[in-house]
Amino acid sequence: PIVSMTSTPEVRLPTTVVPKVYELSLEALTDLTNFTFTGSVSIHVEVKKAGLTKISCHAVELKFDAKDVKFTSKDGDVKASTVTFDEKLETATMEFGSGLPAGPGVLVVSKYVGELNNKMKGFYRSKYTVNGKEKYMAVTQFEATDARRCLPCWDEPAVKAEFEVTMTAPKSETVISNMPPVDGFPKAAKDEDLLTWKFEKSPIMSSYLLAFVVGEFDYIETKSQAAKFVDGKATGDVAIRVYAPKGKTDQATFALDVAKKCLNYFTEFFEIGYPLPKLDLIAIPDFSSGAMENWGCVTYRTVCLLVDEKNTALKNKQYVAIVVAHELAHQWFGNLVTMEWWTELWLNEGFASWVEYLAVDKLFPEWKVWQSFVNDAHNPALGLDGLLTSHPIEVPVKHPSEIDEIFDAISYLKGAAVIRMLASHLGLETFRKGLVAYLQKFAYKNATTVDLWQMLEIGGKLPEGSVSSLMANWTAKMGYPVLSVEAKEGGFSLGQQHFVSSGDKGHDTLWQVPVVYELYDGKNRSAKKMLLKGASENMEEKGKYTCALFNQGSQAYYRVKYGPKLRGLLFEGIKAGVISDPVDRLAIQADLMAIVKAGVDKSVTSKEYFDLIKAYKNETEFIVWESLLANIQSLSVLAKAAGFQEAFSKYMVELLQPIAEKLGWDSKEGEPATDQMLRAQVIPLIGIHGHPPTVKKALDAFTEFYDKKQYTEEFKGKSALPADFRSGVYRIAVKQNGEKAFEQLLMIYKTTTFQEEKVRILRSIGAGNDDKLIERTLAMSLDFKQVRKQDMMYPIFGTVGSEKGLRATWAFLKKNWSFILKEFKGTHMLVRLASVTSRFAMEEDQKDVEEFFKSNEHPGAERKVKQCLESIGTNARWLKRDRGAIAAAVGAA
């Protein structure tokens, strides 16, 4: 069955009053006893209908009453008679004694009080340390619907306005907002211990992009000539700053360089200059997501912005570049042109998740990030979108409570994957011209998916309706097709149907499928294209071939299921080394694994996948190994549930030993960056599975690292434990040395100030088999004196690698769910925590999870729980079907 998600009635504000300019004044960090802030706001509005006696806007957890409210117009002042708050609708309705005139006016809330909360949303507080002293900063996170926690406002993306912000705060603090301060500096306040910062008026923008940060920082800066785009060139200076914790600006250098280059690149790519006079990137100690694209005032989780060249793993450095590029892409795609409503969230996130790779590939071609895209975006999207509990890219959103659920791999990663498919199908330059036309037409406005398709047609000079008809089902329908390919006399037969990873029947949608395929004849290869519109088609192919590969380069968003003959030829082609593109070698095994897991072809079982793995014995490319190991992880879930863990570890050692020996422990001068990342994955993993020489090397390195305090800032030499290896080596140490290593890692955790190191440790300390250490790790996750609330999921994720740890974690979550709900209701954390249950593979576990969530509230995670239940059921049927094949392959039979 196709699963439908229930929905609440649509909640949108009336359009009878439209805000134009907000004059907002706030005072922050002056009440650190009750953690409140005070504010006042004058909202210049346009009243569309004469005689109105009520004005409704959004407001949550803000205190004000009728005596604080008036409406001013050419006819004079009208005071409010009542103010009514609706907690469900998150609104304040102000009623006036007489009707209001049509035309311009000012709605004034002369004083209100709000909570500087600890929920990492709205206007909230974040704890940090300056010179050993604990302090609080004040930070905003308004996306999706939390500007209303800071000021009465029309908190919908289509209701754009200008903002004039004034902030009063203690003298010791720096205040940052979307725009520069008027005259470049603050002014004296009435209280001599305070300063008042008045900022320039912002461009017209959505309320969720308003931002301000109040705290102590150091910064580094540069300038970028990306303010305007005139006659094909960027002209004018934009001041770029990266704000870091005091004394940590050396860790901001990499992000500053990436930001400058990205700003220049996007200015040329979009042919529209960055519209603001400055761009700030700010590291925030407590942050619920990875980063937030507030216009000109971009906020980041610390680990997503700061890079320590000595202590940052290459994969993490690459991630920082990706996140910086993503948020800067939003300055155009999302901020300049904004989705009309949250149904089109993918227009913001899917596009930014595609163009981030375009920019980083330009900056760091040696990283081969378009290859990484397949593992980091394309395949994860296919994984989630293969569920019957997935959702379309465009999902109707009627109430704010539904929005959090769609900040997921569908909106971000499937969105990026279908954009990549469309750009490949149209050609990048044609696609770019369409984007330029779209941004130019809708600058400072809102747009829909239909608007994007139309402008791609107009800007790219394509036939009317060609893009919209091609893309209609890719965005409006859940899921994607599996392309079945069979060899036949004189060519191939193709067929498509909705792919469901559980093997259940899907829906009857037919997609327009761009098919790019390659034929190998033993010497040469030829690439060909076609568009499959119907359920099936016969293709004529007269040439001879030794193997045929479909969806070349994984450019399009679907799976491929080959018939026996073609599958056999591909296996031989991999063995012979004739399939030269690593993305194609990756895709062959990834698609086969999906077919095996779904059980849709009785002739293809886990045995066939294990047989295919043997063909990769000479594989040396990072992205291929990364995908192989991710898919083998799926099999390890079954092996652990079946009690094959020891045999599985022996199998893994045998599989990894040749490539581990080839790579070695030490990096080689001049080697590709991808070899460095492969070594970082393979060497620790073979040690985790018990390879004796690697275990000894890892423990020796960890001992030297710890004993010589190489984790401290004072240490300046070459570390015995490279940053790339630390996560894996920490886990090896805990598995082998138990409590001793656990305490050593806690010492490093308490000593280091580098957030990436703290996260590595939190992910590692629960990797052992000792029950007490697993319990201590789990308990730490909810001890917010030891672990920041934003990081509480890391110890939990670190314990679920073993069957024992998984079961202990689930028991812990059930026991503490009431506390977790109190602390994290309304955040993405519930979704993250619920996701650990997808690792179960027994029917009794599926029932247990289902019963628990039936009787325990999980707001915002309803869809994720259904997805986890579906995944557990799929795992259970897969294990039941292939238990013998898996046991035989790993030597447990």
Side-chain angles (χ1 to χ4, degrees):
I2 304 296
V3 178
S4 63
M5 308 300 291
T6 57
S7 181
T8 51
E10 183 166 334
V11 180
R12 301 283 287 269
L13 289 174
T15 57
T16 47
V17 179
V18 179
K20 300 296 183 180
V21 180
Y22 293 84
E23 295 176 1
L24 174 66
S25 294
L26 296 168
E27 184 172 297
L29 296 182
T30 55
D31 176 13
L32 296 182
T33 302
N34 299 307
F35 292 109
T36 62
F37 64 90
T38 58
S40 66
V41 64
S42 297
I43 310 172
H44 296 255
V45 300
E46 184 79 18
V47 178
K48 299 292 187 180
K49 181 180 178 183
L52 283 179
T53 58
K54 295 179 181 179
I55 295 179
S56 293
C57 67
H58 291 111
V60 177
E61 297 176 357
L62 300 179
K63 296 179 182 177
F64 58 95
D65 54 34
K67 73 177 188 303
D68 303 313
V69 180
K70 67 178 180 179
F71 184 86
T72 299
S73 70
K74 58 180 172 41
D75 295 345
D77 294 350
V78 182
K79 292 186 177 180
S81 54
T82 61
V83 176
T84 306
F85 294 93
D86 188 315
E87 288 188 16
K88 282 191 174 180
L89 297 180
E90 300 185 344
T91 58
T93 298
M94 293 149 281
E95 190 162 358
F96 299 88
S98 60
L100 306 178
V106 182
L107 176 64
V108 179
V109 182
S110 60
K111 184 179 180 181
Y112 64 89
V113 178
E115 180 190 2
L116 195 66
N117 68 67
N118 64 348
K119 301 172 183 176
M120 293 183 285
K121 62 182 180 179
F123 197 20
Y124 71 92
R125 63 186 186 267
S126 175
K127 187 183 288 187
Y128 66 116
T129 302
V130 177
N131 298 325
K133 181 183 176 183
E134 278 195 347
K135 292 193 61 174
Y136 289 96
M137 68 174 63
V139 187
T140 55
Q141 172 58 42
F142 289 164
E143 191 180 31
T145 58
D146 288 312
R148 61 193 69 178
R149 295 179 184 274
C150 183
L151 70 154
C153 60
W154 279 254
D155 202 11
E156 297 175 2
V159 189
K160 291 189 170 188
E162 297 171 309
F163 293 84
E164 291 184 5
V165 175
T166 300
M167 179 75 72
T168 299
K171 278 184 175 179
S172 57
E173 313 304 308
T174 297
V175 182
I176 312 160
S177 189
N178 305 83
M179 299 297 288
V182 173
D183 298 327
F185 51 84
K187 306 292 193 296
K190 290 181 181 179
D191 186 328
E192 63 180 16
D193 293 326
L194 306 177
L195 288 174
T196 295
W197 300 67
K198 182 175 176 59
F199 295 91
E200 296 175 12
K201 184 189 289 186
S202 77
I204 186 171
M205 65 185 190
S206 304
S207 55
Y208 77 87
L209 295 170
L210 178 64
F212 17 88
V213 179
V214 186
E216 283 196 62
F217 299 93
D218 286 336
Y219 67 83
I220 56 174
E221 64 182 333
T222 186
K223 288 187 181 293
S224 167
Q225 287 198 326
K228 297 178 182 177
F229 197 87
V230 180
D231 296 329
K233 293 184 178 180
T235 62
D237 287 339
V238 175
I240 306 173
R241 290 180 177 178
V242 177
Y243 286 84
K246 286 280 189 180
K248 301 293 183 184
T249 53
D250 60 314
Q251 297 175 15
T253 305
F254 178 73
L256 185 69
D257 183 58
V258 171
K260 178 178 179 177
K261 291 175 179 175
C262 281
L263 211 61
N264 291 340
Y265 176 73
F266 289 143
T267 293
E268 295 193 11
F269 187 79
F270 297 134
E271 296 185 26
I272 296 176
Y274 174 74
L276 275 60
K278 63 93 175 174
L279 172 68
D280 295 325
L281 295 79
I282 311 160
I284 305 298
D286 296 290
F287 203 75
S288 61
S289 56
M292 176 61 210
E293 66 266 21
N294 316 298
W295 216 353
C297 183
V298 187
T299 44
Y300 293 81
R301 185 179 283 232
T302 304
V303 294
C304 296
L305 186 65
L306 302 185
V307 168
D308 182 328
E309 294 296 344
K310 185 174 71 172
N311 293 304
T312 293
L314 179 56
K315 190 73 172 171
N316 289 354
K317 186 176 183 180
Q318 186 180 98
Y319 181 65
V320 168
I322 288 284
V323 176
V324 168
H326 180 100
E327 304 309 326
L328 267 57
H330 274 311
Q331 306 302 300
W332 286 264
F333 230 93
N335 299 4
L336 182 66
V337 179
T338 310
M339 69 220 159
E340 195 277 334
W341 181 241
W342 298 105
T343 294
E344 282 96 8
L345 174 68
W346 87 279
L347 281 178
N348 280 18
E349 301 302 347
F351 181 82
S353 297
W354 171 75
V355 81
E356 68 192 34
Y357 284 86
L358 209 61
V360 173
D361 185 56
K362 179 80 172 177
L363 270 57
F364 304 100
E366 69 276 13
W367 287 353
K368 302 178 182 178
V369 293
W370 277 120
Q371 293 182 358
S372 296
F373 179 92
V374 180
N375 282 338
D376 296 341
H378 181 91
N379 283 339
L382 291 173
L384 180 58
D385 205 24
L387 300 176
L388 288 172
T389 43
S390 181
H391 63 82
I393 284 179
E394 290 187 290
V395 58
V397 173
K398 297 182 178 180
H399 189 274
S401 64
E402 300 172 353
I403 297 171
D404 275 352
E405 286 197 276
I406 61 169
F407 277 85
D408 64 3
I410 301 300
S411 296
Y412 283 72
L413 306 184
K414 180 180 180 180
V418 299
I419 286 170
R420 176 172 172 258
M421 174 176 71
L422 179 58
S424 174
H425 182 69
L426 300 180
L428 181 59
E429 184 57 20
T430 297
F431 185 70
R432 189 192 69 82
K433 287 177 180 176
L435 293 179
V436 170
Y438 169 81
L439 290 170
Q440 288 174 343
K441 179 170 182 176
F442 292 100
Y444 303 103
K445 299 174 187 174
N446 297 80
T448 66
T449 300
V450 171
D451 294 326
L452 176 60
W453 298 156
Q454 288 178 346
M455 295 315 297
L456 286 174
E457 291 164 0
I458 293 170
K461 298 180 180 179
L462 301 169
E464 184 178 351
S466 59
V467 174
S468 55
S469 62
L470 171 68
M471 298 304 294
N473 286 341
W474 293 105
T475 59
K477 299 291 185 179
M478 178 188 81
Y480 56 89
V482 56
L483 183 73
S484 299
V485 187
E486 296 276 355
K488 59 185 283 292
E489 188 68 32
F492 306 99
S493 65
L494 304 183
Q496 63 157 305
Q497 65 183 58
H498 178 207
F499 178 79
V500 180
S501 57
S502 63
D504 292 325
K505 178 173 171 52
H507 50 68
D508 296 326
T509 299
L510 293 177
W511 288 265
Q512 290 192 28
V513 184
V515 178
V516 178
Y517 61 102
E518 282 196 342
L519 302 180
Y520 297 75
D521 66 3
K523 293 182 180 180
N524 303 302
R525 59 183 188 174
S526 57
K528 302 185 179 184
K529 289 184 177 183
M530 66 164 291
L531 189 65
L532 177 66
K533 295 184 178 181
S536 62
E537 186 169 330
N538 290 321
M539 288 172 50
E540 185 178 304
E541 184 56 59
K542 296 179 180 179
K544 293 183 178 180
Y545 56 88
T546 56
C547 61
L549 185 136
F550 285 73
N551 198 16
Q552 191 275 327
S554 292
Q555 291 288 332
Y557 185 73
Y558 56 85
R559 300 278 190 198
V560 181
K561 182 168 79 73
Y562 295 96
K565 178 183 175 182
L566 294 175
R567 190 167 65 244
L569 292 175
L570 285 172
F571 283 22
E572 292 303 316
I574 292 170
K575 287 180 187 176
V578 299
I579 299 176
S580 57
D581 188 340
V583 171
D584 292 332
R585 300 198 298 276
L586 179 166
I588 291 165
Q589 58 81 35
D591 286 347
L592 183 67
M593 168 55 81
I595 303 302
V596 167
K597 187 175 183 178
V600 292
D601 186 339
K602 291 182 180 179
S603 70
V604 182
T605 70
S606 296
K607 179 184 182 302
E608 276 65 39
Y609 186 76
F610 280 109
D611 287 344
L612 174 60
I613 290 174
K614 295 173 186 175
Y616 288 84
K617 67 178 182 179
N618 296 319
E619 184 59 61
T620 59
E621 286 287 343
F622 165 69
I623 59 148
V624 182
W625 271 107
E626 187 178 43
S627 180
L628 274 167
L629 294 173
N631 285 321
I632 291 170
Q633 171 62 31
S634 299
L635 289 161
S636 81
V637 167
L638 307 191
K640 290 166 189 173
F644 302 158
Q645 179 62 59
E646 188 175 341
F648 187 82
S649 284
K650 289 180 180 177
Y651 169 82
M652 288 299 293
V653 169
E654 291 176 8
L655 175 68
L656 293 168
Q657 193 161 339
I659 186 64
E661 289 175 353
K662 178 180 177 63
L663 290 166
W665 179 279
D666 298 313
S667 60
K668 299 172 179 64
E669 188 174 346
E671 70 180 354
T674 48
D675 279 8
Q676 185 180 340
M677 289 189 285
L678 179 57
R679 179 181 297 103
Q681 186 165 49
V682 167
I683 300 298
L685 186 59
I686 195 172
I688 287 167
H689 283 289
H691 180 239
T694 304
V695 169
K696 183 179 184 309
K697 180 81 171 175
L699 294 179
D700 288 346
F702 178 70
T703 298
E704 183 178 346
F705 178 74
Y706 181 79
D707 289 349
K708 293 184 178 179
K709 297 185 177 180
Q710 294 178 353
Y711 52 85
T712 63
E713 291 184 23
E714 291 73 25
F715 179 76
K716 304 299 181 186
K718 183 180 178 181
S719 175
L721 195 52
D724 286 338
F725 282 179
R726 286 182 199 167
S727 290
V729 169
Y730 291 166
R731 293 200 293 274
I732 293 168
V734 173
K735 283 174 73 84
Q736 298 294 326
N737 291 345
E739 187 172 8
K740 178 183 176 183
F742 188 95
E743 296 295 346
Q744 290 172 324
L745 286 170
L746 282 187
M747 175 60 73
I748 299 172
Y749 178 82
K750 292 171 183 176
T751 302
T752 185
T753 60
F754 188 47
Q755 189 63 19
E756 183 182 322
E757 199 70 70
K758 287 182 179 290
V759 170
R760 274 196 283 260
I761 291 167
L762 291 176
R763 282 182 170 273
S764 303
I765 54 176
N769 295 311
D770 186 295
D771 292 340
K772 290 183 178 179
L773 296 183
I774 292 173
E775 289 175 12
R776 282 181 65 187
T777 301
L778 293 169
M780 266 185 72
S781 70
L782 296 181
D783 180 355
F784 301 139
K785 291 182 179 179
Q786 288 195 82
V787 177
R788 289 187 180 274
K789 288 178 74 172
Q790 66 167 12
D791 296 331
M792 66 83 60
M793 69 282 193
Y794 294 129
I796 286 171
F797 291 166
T799 61
V800 297
S802 67
E803 187 70 8
K804 179 190 286 188
L806 175 60
R807 298 199 171 278
T809 300
W810 176 230
F812 175 82
L813 290 176
K814 289 191 290 184
K815 180 181 177 182
N816 292 281
W817 193 255
S818 295
F819 176 77
I820 290 168
L821 195 61
K822 179 173 74 74
E823 294 294 324
F824 296 105
K825 187 175 182 179
T827 73
H828 298 301
M829 194 64 77
L830 297 184
V831 172
R832 293 172 180 140
L833 297 179
S835 69
V836 303
T837 60
S838 64
R839 288 173 169 262
F840 284 122
M842 296 292 191
E843 289 179 1
E844 54 265 36
D845 294 316
Q846 186 183 32
K847 292 175 184 175
D848 179 39
V849 172
E850 185 172 25
E851 288 302 314
F852 176 78
F853 284 115
K854 269 184 183 177
S855 55
N856 287 272
E857 189 184 1
H858 48 288
E862 292 89 351
R863 190 188 301 274
K864 176 53 68 176
V865 168
K866 287 181 170 64
Q867 290 169 345
C868 289
L869 289 170
E870 184 179 349
S871 295
I872 300 168
T874 299
N875 286 341
R877 289 191 294 275
W878 184 15
L879 179 57
K880 187 175 182 179
R881 189 173 64 243
D882 279 8
R883 186 188 190 104
I886 296 168
V890 303

